[in-house]
Amino acid sequence: MKFKKFTSTALVLTLAGSLLAACSGNNSGSNASESAGNSSAPASGSASAKPTGPQELVINYRTDPPALDVSIAESSSSFTILGAISEGLYRLDKDLQPQPALAAELPQISPDGLTYTVKLRDGITWADGTPVTAQDFVYSFRRTLDPATKATYAFMVAWIKGGEAVMTAKTPEDVKKAQEALGAKALDEKTLEIKLERPVAFFTSTLAFLNFYPQKQEFVDKWGNEKSGADADKVLGAGPFVLKTWDHGQKLVLEKNPKYWDAANVKLDKVTLNVVKDNATGLNLYDTGAADYTVLDGTQYMQLKDNKELVRKKELVTGYVNFQHTKVPAFKNVKIRQAYTAAIDRQGLVDTVLQGNTAAVGYTPSGNLDGNGQEFRKVAGDLEQPFDAAKAKELLAQGLAEAGLKEMPELTIIGDDNGTGPKVLEFLAGQWEQNLGVKVKTSPMPHANRLELELNKNYEIVSTLWGADYNDPMTWLDMYLTGGSFNTQDWSSAEYDKLVKGAQSDTNLENRAKSLVEAEKILMNEAAVSPLYYRTLNIMVKPKVKGLIQPPYGVEFELKWTSIEE
């Protein structure tokens, strides 16, 4: 997940286009909660359902989230839960359109598209009852940009004028000076002004994104960067729910926030997210009535694909493999990377482990627009190194010779330990041994641990996923700019950088789209990343659950408008 930095005039699209609605539907059951575009949840934010019975929802959740801190969060699990216990100026509805949340209305935008003026609602408070003010937003932006916070998503907030200066400041004094010059000001307690470096066509929707949420400085300072968001008592929001309990590795319990400005339209009183990593256990809990929502693995999907309670959530998510070049210098050789990629039977992976998903043919997934009104994948075509065991062996031999090596060392691939994660690791290790004759050990681990190792570049090979933050190829391709915070493999290409950076400022949509296609060609030709599959989540949802929005990107589900109808 992440939003990225580029010139907005090059992007003429809406975040809730018809293509998004189409690719997020495809649900088997008419009574189950649905994906974005087909949900029964109201677009306006006013609840339409008439709840009956106890308003309690029980979800089998795949992982224990990392820190629930607005500045530090970097995983979809953190984004999803923080989206329930807090919110920003705007909240996206079922059609992915921004609706006023903590803001009283949509922003006033200057004619040049650079200045946004936002009025806050009357009477909005934190869950502790203290007022939410415009300065809480200014503090949040400054904290995220502060290099000491080490916020992976700081570059997104750097769209604000002066943001780059804060990020690159070298001393505490320089940081403070740059923060004070930042183009985000509290004109008064209820008026926020944001000045941008350059126009961003979808910036209003961006203001619904987690890293633009407010933060209460007094509360954050009490815990500091190391402890903020680490436990239930160290999380404070201004959203529909409060985090009542967080038993790490076991469950999270959310309860309705009576101080929320729109509490009258929040129907759920309690949401329990039980951390269930094993799909078989999850389905058993669902079948016995102990859970209302559970994700299926491929085998379960094949058994239940005609069940009326099945929801198919097609996402803008790619599962892929990264090879770390610094820890494993052999991976600096393009032919070795190509060999490891060509040795993977991606269709075999989907057919035997990830049934219901789609084998990848490039990095940007099917359904993603190209910023010029076309679907990127259809324009770019199939770009990934095809599966070819014989060719893979040839490439490995050539690459080893070029690198001055006799053989590859025994390596380790890390990945998540929940759901099908361990099976994916085993499949990949088996493919490399069978088709290349190389040994790779598997190391499944808790999601938070994998994420930490990945972002710190402390791995050899990693099986990971990326989900779009908005429907444009830039959300995928600027990840791999030289030195980028998500370029964890340390790959670099001057030509790739030139194409992507050029697209960031190109106002000609057709030229921009062509540049991004050329950039992905380089990414795939050099096997800088090895895409495996495009994810579709297969989910069982009880018919009594109404209005549960499941968008194709961003948060995994939206709870605000959910209700129970027995």
Side-chain angles (χ1 to χ4, degrees), residues 76-95:
S76 60
S77 57
S78 295
F79 279 55
T80 299
I81 295 169
L82 280 168
I85 60 183
S86 197
E87 69 182 0
L89 296 165
Y90 305 100
R91 183 177 287 269
L92 299 184
D93 63 20
K94 71 180 182 66
D95 298 315

Side-chain angles (χ1 to χ4, degrees), residues 262-279:
D262 199 27
N265 285 315
V266 178
K267 303 308 179 186
L268 290 175
D269 294 318
K270 182 179 180 180
V271 181
T272 301
L273 298 104
N274 290 316
V275 178
V276 180
K277 298 180 179 181
D278 180 69
N279 294 101

Side-chain angles (χ1 to χ4, degrees), residues 318-322 413-416 425 450-451 454 462-466 480 488 529 532-533:
T318 298
Y320 59 100
V321 168
N322 269 346
I413 181 171
I414 65 172
D416 291 350
L425 298 183
R450 187 270 297 167
L451 190 63
E454 182 180 0
V462 61
S463 174
T464 185
L465 298 102
W466 187 260
Y480 299 112
T488 67
V529 57
L532 300 173
Y533 62 96

Side-chain angles (χ1 to χ4, degrees), residues 31-33 40 49 542-548 561-565:
N31 294 323
S33 57
S40 59
K542 295 294 185 183
K544 66 180 181 179
V545 180
K546 304 298 183 182
L548 179 65
W561 296 293
T562 306
S563 64
I564 303 297
E565 293 183 39

Side-chain angles (χ1 to χ4, degrees), residues 343-399:
I344 302 170
D345 181 358
R346 295 181 293 279
Q347 190 60 51
L349 173 64
V350 166
D351 290 343
T352 60
V353 179
L354 299 172
Q355 296 96 325
N357 291 268
T358 304
V361 294
Y363 186 50
T364 305
S366 300
N368 220 103
L369 298 178
D370 71 346
N372 189 38
Q374 304 296 318
E375 186 176 342
F376 181 89
R377 196 74 273 138
K378 290 181 179 179
V379 174
D382 298 356
L383 298 180
E384 188 169 12
Q385 187 88 20
F387 169 59
D388 187 331
K391 181 65 173 178
K393 288 181 180 178
E394 291 179 12
L395 286 167
L396 181 61
Q398 293 169 5

Side-chain angles (χ1 to χ4, degrees), residues 158-204:
W159 282 343
I160 299 175
K161 188 175 179 63
E164 289 284 350
V166 182
M167 288 178 61
T168 57
K170 302 300 183 184
T171 67
E173 293 77 18
D174 288 344
V175 169
K176 184 177 181 180
K177 182 178 179 181
Q179 286 176 328
E180 291 173 349
L182 186 68
K185 306 291 182 185
L187 302 184
D188 56 48
E189 285 196 351
K190 294 179 58 179
T191 309
L192 175 67
E193 180 186 79
I194 301 174
K195 292 183 179 292
L196 303 179
E197 287 284 1
R198 55 186 67 86
V200 178
F202 55 90
F203 190 66
T204 300

